[in-house]
Structure formats: structure tokens, C-alpha cells
Amino acid sequence: MTAETTPARAGQPNQGRPSPSRARRGKLLRHAVGVAAFLLVWELAARAGLLPWLPAASASLARVAELAFDPAFAGDLLSTLTAAAAGLPLAVLVAVPIGLLLGTVPAVEETTRAIVEFLRPIPSVALIPLALFFFQPEINAKVALIVYAASWPILINTLYGVRDVDPVATETLRSFGFGSAAVIWRVSLPSAAPFIYTGIRLAASITLILAISVEYFVGGSGGIGAFLIQASTGIGADAMLDVIATLVWAGLVGLAVNVLLLRAERRLFRWRHA
């Protein structure tokens, strides 16, 4: 048998497939090329006057770097992150038990379906005046709205994750005399955990959106939203630079949170990726 037709032995790496580290480097390189191309197009379009209102990418990135050392902006950024960090765990504590209840007790899910479908489509931004009326100071309104908005993706993913549990596993556990609580704890919750985590990832971006929206609506409460209002009421190119730089910072924070959650997901659910 020739070398070309000899099958690979068990345990030997596939010679035709790149190593994980090499594949990861290639992926990062493609990401970098995409970002560089976007920045180049932005720079050329701004300098050619195609978008007169848009500052050049180089000037915008320079302002982004300056804001990193601005104590006022650092305080606003910390205020936004504090509200988001407080609201997301509360949303998990609220949504996961409700999702487990709805997913494991069909009668409760059918009874509350109309209420859930009525509340879920309501835009959270439209509830800002109501939240400001019931919750004072503004930080409480931000957290309350974050909990409301972030709970929906977690709840829905928990509900469908529990429904996706293998019925053979649950029936097997019941046949050994385990009660409903033990079945939920030992089978339903671990099986639905990847779905729940996906809901948490989706909710993480919602927390930033709601926090900035409330800050923008209230104005003087601090945070990235308040900084955006001050920047947008300025005059001239410097005002637009501040607006663009603030938006870039908001995007960078969201990207960093998503990357951290993705890495944590690979570690927590390594069996699923395998």
C-alpha cells in the first residue's frame, strides 16, 4: 500500500486540516483585514468629501484614545457599566426560574401565554417615563428597565431549552424514584444551560442599549447617554467628533462583553462544542 493510500492511524492529527491555533490566527487575521478595510473606506470617503458631516477615521480614533484618559468620560462609562452589571444578574434570577416553571408545567404556560405575548412586544424604551415615575433615583429606573428588557431573551431561551430536553432522560430519572424537583435540577437545567447562556449573551447587549437609552432620555443622570447629549448639543466638528468617539466606545464595550461571554461559553460548555 502506497503512502498516498495509507489511512491515517487513530490518534494521529489530520495532515490536511490546520491546527486549532493556526485556524484561530487565520480567523483573527481575517477580522483584522475586515476592520482595516472598513477604516480605510471611512477615511477615504471623509477626505473626499462624500460625507461632509462625517469626521475622518483617523481623527475619530484619535478622539477615542483621548476619551480613554478623560476623567469625566470615565465616570460616565462607569455609571453605564454599573447599571448594566447590576441589571443583568437580576434578570437571570428573575427569568430562569420563570422559564423553568413555564417549560415544565404546561398548564402554567398555557395560562400565562396571553400575558407573555402581550408584554413581550412592548418596546422597553416606551416604558422609560413609567419607570422614572415609579423608581427614583434614575439609577433604579435604569436597573428596573434593564431587568425587564433583558429578562425576555433569557426567559424564552430557558423555556425552549427545557422543552428540548430528552424525554427519555427525564422518564429514566422518574423511574428511579426521583421527584420533579430532582428531575429539573439533574436533567432539565443542565440540558437547557446552553440555551440559557445564549439568552444571557443576547441580554448582555440589551443591558447596554437600555442603560444608554435611559441616560439619553433623562439627560442629567450621568452615563454614556448623558455624555452623548452634551456632545450632540455642541457646535462644529468637535461636537461630531465627540459623538462618533462615544459611539465607538459603546461599540467597543459591547464587543468586549460579547468576546468575554463567548470565551466563557467555550469553557463552560466545552462538551457541546466538541
Side-chain angles (χ1 to χ4, degrees):
M1 185 176 292
T2 62
E4 289 78 11
T5 59
T6 303
R9 295 179 181 176
Q12 289 184 343
N14 191 342
Q15 300 296 328
R17 183 179 301 172
S19 63
S21 60
R22 186 176 179 181
R24 194 178 301 112
R25 288 195 299 268
K27 186 176 181 180
L28 291 175
L29 179 61
R30 289 190 293 272
H31 288 331
V33 170
V35 172
F38 172 76
L39 293 176
L40 179 61
V41 172
W42 178 3
E43 182 77 16
L44 294 176
R47 292 189 178 276
L50 299 178
L51 300 172
W53 53 269
L54 184 66
S58 56
S60 300
L61 293 179
R63 183 57 180 154
V64 170
E66 291 175 3
L67 287 180
F69 302 97
D70 186 344
F73 180 78
D76 288 331
L77 180 61
L78 181 61
S79 176
T80 300
L81 292 178
T82 300
L88 184 59
L90 290 175
V92 174
L93 292 176
V94 170
V96 171
I98 296 177
L100 287 172
L101 177 64
L102 298 182
T104 54
V105 185
V108 176
E109 193 273 333
E110 292 174 2
T111 304
T112 59
R113 182 181 302 170
I115 299 174
V116 170
E117 294 302 326
F118 170 77
L119 293 175
R120 191 162 60 95
I122 297 177
S124 302
V125 177
L127 298 175
I128 291 177
L130 192 63
L132 292 173
F133 180 80
F134 283 105
F135 299 96
Q136 292 293 333
E138 288 82 0
I139 180 64
N140 295 334
K142 281 196 289 188
V143 173
L145 281 172
I146 286 171
V147 172
Y148 175 83
S151 294
W152 293 114
I154 301 174
L155 189 152
I156 298 301
N157 276 270
T158 303
L159 173 61
Y160 284 102
V162 171
R163 286 180 177 177
D164 196 58
V165 173
D166 185 4
V168 175
T170 58
E171 292 302 325
T172 301
L173 211 61
R174 287 194 179 99
S175 67
F176 281 98
F178 288 92
S180 299
V183 171
I184 292 174
W185 180 255
R186 293 173 179 267
V187 177
S188 300
L189 190 58
S191 299
F195 292 88
I196 297 172
Y197 195 88
T198 301
I200 294 173
R201 278 183 50 217
L202 296 174
S205 60
I206 294 176
T207 61
L208 292 174
I209 294 172
L210 260 296
I212 295 174
S213 299
V214 175
E215 293 160 359
Y216 194 86
F217 186 88
V218 176
S221 63
I224 295 179
F227 191 89
L228 270 174
I229 290 181
Q230 296 174 1
S232 61
T233 54
I235 300 174
D238 290 342
M240 183 55 67
L241 270 176
D242 283 343
V243 171
I244 297 296
T246 305
L247 294 177
V248 171
W249 266 106
L252 289 175
V253 170
L255 177 63
V257 171
N258 187 61
V259 169
L260 290 175
L261 290 176
L262 277 175
R263 292 195 173 186
E265 181 182 15
R266 293 192 185 99
R267 290 180 177 272
L268 290 173
F269 307 112
R270 188 174 301 173
W271 52 270
R272 186 188 183 195
H273 293 283

